[in-house]
Each structure stands twice: as C-alpha cells, then as structure tokens.
Amino acid sequence: MPKAVVSRLSLYLRELQVLVRDDKKTISSTKLGRLLGVTDAQVRKDFAYFGQFGYPGIGYRCEELIQEIRGILGTDRMWLAAMIGCGNLGQALLGYRGFQSQGFSVQAAFDIAPEIVGSTFHGLKVHHLDSLPGMVEEKGIQLAILAVPAEVAADVAELLVQSGVSGVLNFAPVTLNLPKSVSVVGVDLAMELEQLAFAVVKKGEK
Amino acid sequence: MPKAVVSRLSLYLRELQVLVRDDKKTISSTKLGRLLGVTDAQVRKDFAYFGQFGYPGIGYRCEELIQEIRGILGTDRMWLAAMIGCGNLGQALLGYRGFQSQGFSVQAAFDIAPEIVGSTFHGLKVHHLDSLPGMVEEKGIQLAILAVPAEVAADVAELLVQSGVSGVLNFAPVTLNLPKSVSVVGVDLAMELEQLAFAVVKKGEK
DNA sequence: CGTTGTGAACTTATTCACAGCT
DNA sequence: AGCTGTGAATAAGTTCACAACG
C-alpha cells in the first residue's frame, strides 16, 4: 500500500466531518475527490486497501465511512499524550482544541525552566522533566509532543524513548534518530514556509 | 521533476546548516543521505535536477550547497509575511524565531476580536482585519500565515486573495479552494497526530 | 581512490476502463 | 442510471551501476 494513502485518509476524514456537519448523508468518490483535488479512482482505490465501504449506485455513507477511517487510523480510541516543552509553541498547543476532538488527550506537560515549571496553562500544571518517566508509566502516556529548542531536542527525545513512549510528534527543526520501535512524525514550520516560497517562485516563472 | 524533491531540499538545507555549525566543510551524498534516511543516489539525483553542485572525489561544499538550495527555494531573498489570527497559535507563531532565520519576516498581524486588536505580541501590534488590503499593498506583503478558526478560514482566505497575497500557509483544518494563481500549503496539527497514531498502531501489529 | 552525474532497470503509485451491484 | 471495486495499462519516482572526474 502506498504510504501517501494514509495522509489522504486523514484528509478524507476531515472533509467527511465537514459534510456531516452540513447534514450530508452520502457522498460519491467523484464528489469527495473534487472537494480535495484528487481523482475519483484514487478515492476508491485508497479505501479499497482496507475493505469495501461503498454502496454501488449510492456512494459512501458519511457517518459510516468516518467510523471506518477512525478505526484504520487508530483514532477510534483515545490516545494519551504529553507536551514536552511549554514555551511559546508548547503553550499554544496545550490550548489547541483540535487535538481533543480528534482523539488525542494531553494528560501532562513538562518543561525544565524554573520560571515555567509549576505554572498552569489551559488547566494543565507543568512538571519538571525529571518526573516524566514516572508519569508516562503511571498515566499510560503513549505519545509525546516535542516542542523544545533544537539544541536539546535530541537529548530530550532520548529521554522520551527511555520513558517508554511509542510515538513522537517533533516540532524541533532537527532530524531525530530514534530506535525504529518508536515512530516519529516531524513538523517543521520554517520548512513549510520554504515549500510555500518555492511554490510561489515557480508560479511566477511559468 | 518529482514534487517530493522540493521537500527533501528543505531537509537537506536544514541538515547542512547543522553541519556548518559543526564546522564541516564538505559532505558526500552517502553521508548526507545516511543522516536523513535517504539513499546516496537519491541525494545526487535530487540536486541534479537543478545543476551540478558536487565535486567528484570530494562531495559537496556545505556553504556553497546551502546557497544553491536557498536560491532554488527562493529563500535567498527576504519574504514579507502577515499573521492572520492572533489567538493561541497565531501569538505563538509570532514569537517563533525560526521564521526570521530562514528568510521570512512577519511584518504585520491581524485579528478581528476587539479584545485582541490593538494588543502587542512580540513587538508587533495587532491590526483589525479591515486594514489588511491596505497594508498588504503598502508593505509589499507576499505571504499570509492563516491561524484563524476553521469556520471563518474560507472567508478570510478569500479576503487574502483579494488583497493580493501570493501564498498562504494554512493552519486551519479545512481545504482551501483558492484560484490557482495563489499557492497554498496546509499544516493540520491534528492530522499529523493521526499519522503518528497510525504509525504506532501499524508497528504494534508487525 | 573516493565521489559525482546519469542513463537504464526497476519499483511504486496513479489512472483508465469496465464488469457487476443496487 | 449511478456508482463501486478492481485488473490492466500508464506514469512517476527510486535505485542500480558505471563512466568520468579531480
């Protein structure tokens, strides 16, 4: 299965949730594809990797398809996460409503700076990083959102691995080299802007 | 040219900047690839789309290659950006140092909420969205960072287009449908966590 | 010698096109 | 009639492997 399929699955899910909010009951591969800029065949093939979810002559039932996708992605259960680093970005992410609504619950927050440890942001008290291993165990935390400065990201990531988390969402602008038992997804905001700059330049040339 | 090449270019750039900080003068495609988890052939082919930057027997000169990549991405000049939406996320992004260092300067910030308009975050005063078109023109703003709630994202994006921006970095969890003269890069934080959840689930099954 | 640049081989991903279901 | 699911065809992207270079 192509690995791009999984990111399209997230995209389909997001669009289906919009459709349900607008009281749409069913949607065809053609219409769903049009909304997202992919072909109808692509939509059908993507779902076909996981099962037969459609109804010939009808399309896909939105609510049902949402459940199927959530089951595939694993977001039908609640995932417990820890926020690591409560500076600018970490604080903002603690207040982000979109995580909770998609199946992610930030259970604990950590930092190392004396002026931040002990503070409360969006109802969550910040603990010292030293207490991370214990709390991961105690609370059953599976994922970490890493929002620390680049210089310390590698070391902190190492600590996360030792603490037993299974996945890291890395906002630090460095490539983490972790054991392959731990999954990593990187989000580099400056890189995204670079991609945008390139797209603009290319368009200007055409 | 494959479109994945451009995102790898950003990745190479980031790693090269680390290498330069560590006083490395040159690097081979094999070593650079190892650091990032791609093959040596991939590294060479990626650069080959844009020119001949390497030295047989030596590798690539880091400083030189950085300049080449910045030239390709268009980040050798400074890009002027506006922050649209100064809630949680917008405020955090205004304080993000990584943008400036990679060639992006946030010149103005906008919101619509009376309690936010007029405030100052990280040295930047928040204007009302109504003054956007004028300031885009006046300051020569090319890019917009869209950090508004999903419900209003489409309408605000429309205003951005009318104001004349060339590119939008969209943090709202919706697909924007803009004229193709305007480039859009989307970053959906919940989607990234979903990708991570899937990776963890899949690893557990194996 | 170590390393690039690149055509050719191969692998992966997307699109086509149509049988078959409702 | 409208739409899915899917094998076959096509296209895109990656790796191989080696000549040429400093």
Side-chain angles (χ1 to χ4, degrees):
Chain A
M1 186 233 323
K3 104 171 179 305
V5 170
V6 184
S7 48
R8 284 196 299 266
L9 244 35
S10 274
L11 211 57
Y12 299 142
L13 175 58
R14 194 174 77 175
E15 196 65 36
L16 286 163
Q17 288 168 338
V18 173
L19 290 168
V20 163
R21 226 170 289 139
D22 294 353
D23 272 323
K24 301 275 189 284
K25 300 301 178 202
T26 66
I27 183 116
S28 68
S29 53
T30 310
K31 284 185 190 147
L32 183 54
R34 190 100 38 91
L35 286 167
L36 299 171
V38 305
T39 65
D40 58 331
Q42 180 90 82
V43 171
R44 294 196 300 276
K45 189 138 276 199
D46 283 347
F47 295 140
Y49 287 109
F50 303 98
Q52 305 200 164
F53 307 141
Y55 300 87
I58 305 290
Y60 299 87
R61 301 201 203 289
C62 298
E63 298 269 22
E64 193 180 305
L65 190 51
I66 286 173
Q67 287 317 310
E68 294 287 358
I69 298 177
R70 291 174 63 101
I72 295 162
L73 293 176
T75 58
D76 47 351
R77 338 154 209 182
M78 199 41 113
W79 289 80
L80 306 185
M83 183 68 60
I84 318 296
C86 299
N88 250 323
L89 187 59
Q91 286 173 32
L93 294 174
L94 282 174
Y96 191 63
R97 307 287 265 87
F99 291 151
Q100 185 77 30
S101 75
Q102 295 307 309
F104 302 93
S105 173
V106 180
Q107 295 278 309
F110 300 88
D111 207 297
I112 201 172
E115 68 272 24
I116 290 181
V117 174
S119 315
T120 298
F121 300 111
H122 299 97
L124 219 54
K125 193 172 155 206
V126 180
H127 298 89
H128 192 279
L129 196 59
D130 291 344
S131 56
L132 177 81
M135 291 196 86
V136 167
E137 165 107 49
E138 181 192 326
K139 298 212 171 192
I141 288 170
Q142 301 150 298
L143 306 179
I145 302 173
L146 188 58
V148 303
E151 309 83 56
V152 300
D155 288 346
V156 176
E158 181 55 36
L159 177 64
L160 291 171
V161 172
Q162 283 164 14
S163 304
V165 306
S166 308
V168 177
L169 183 62
N170 175 33
F171 285 91
V174 293
T175 300
L176 296 180
N177 229 308
L178 302 185
K180 58 183 179 313
S181 59
V182 178
S183 302
V184 180
V185 168
V187 179
D188 186 321
L189 303 174
M191 273 182 50
E192 303 291 350
L193 265 180
E194 287 171 358
Q195 299 300 301
L196 182 60
F198 179 81
V200 170
V201 168
K202 199 180 52 175
K203 209 152 280 175
E205 285 167 2
K206 272 195 306 206
Chain B
M1 185 231 323
K3 102 172 180 304
V5 171
V6 185
S7 48
R8 284 194 299 265
L9 244 35
S10 275
L11 211 56
Y12 299 143
L13 176 58
R14 193 174 77 175
E15 196 65 38
L16 285 163
Q17 288 167 337
V18 172
L19 290 168
V20 164
R21 227 169 289 138
D22 294 352
D23 273 322
K24 300 277 188 288
K25 299 303 178 202
T26 66
I27 183 118
S28 68
S29 54
T30 310
K31 283 184 191 148
L32 182 54
R34 190 99 39 90
L35 287 168
L36 299 171
V38 304
T39 65
D40 58 332
Q42 180 90 81
V43 172
R44 294 197 299 278
K45 190 138 274 199
D46 283 346
F47 294 140
Y49 286 107
F50 304 97
Q52 305 199 163
F53 307 140
Y55 300 88
I58 305 290
Y60 299 87
R61 301 203 205 287
C62 298
E63 298 270 21
E64 193 180 306
L65 189 52
I66 286 173
Q67 287 316 309
E68 294 287 358
I69 297 176
R70 291 174 64 102
I72 294 162
L73 293 175
T75 57
D76 48 350
R77 335 149 214 184
M78 198 42 110
W79 289 81
L80 306 185
M83 183 68 60
I84 318 296
C86 299
N88 249 324
L89 187 59
Q91 287 174 31
L93 295 174
L94 282 173
Y96 191 63
R97 308 288 265 86
F99 291 151
Q100 185 77 29
S101 75
Q102 295 306 308
F104 302 93
S105 173
V106 179
Q107 295 278 308
F110 300 87
D111 206 298
I112 201 172
E115 68 272 24
I116 290 181
V117 174
S119 316
T120 297
F121 300 112
H122 300 96
L124 218 53
K125 193 173 154 205
V126 181
H127 298 88
H128 193 278
L129 196 59
D130 291 344
S131 56
L132 177 81
M135 292 197 86
V136 166
E137 165 107 51
E138 182 191 326
K139 299 213 171 192
I141 287 170
Q142 302 150 297
L143 306 179
I145 302 173
L146 188 57
V148 302
E151 308 84 55
V152 299
D155 288 346
V156 176
E158 182 54 36
L159 177 64
L160 291 171
V161 171
Q162 283 164 14
S163 303
V165 307
S166 308
V168 178
L169 183 62
N170 175 33
F171 285 93
V174 294
T175 301
L176 297 180
N177 229 309
L178 302 185
K180 58 183 179 312
S181 60
V182 178
S183 302
V184 180
V185 168
V187 179
D188 186 323
L189 303 174
M191 273 182 49
E192 302 292 350
L193 265 181
E194 287 171 358
Q195 299 299 302
L196 182 61
F198 179 82
V200 170
V201 168
K202 199 179 53 174
K203 210 154 278 175
E205 284 168 2
K206 271 195 311 208

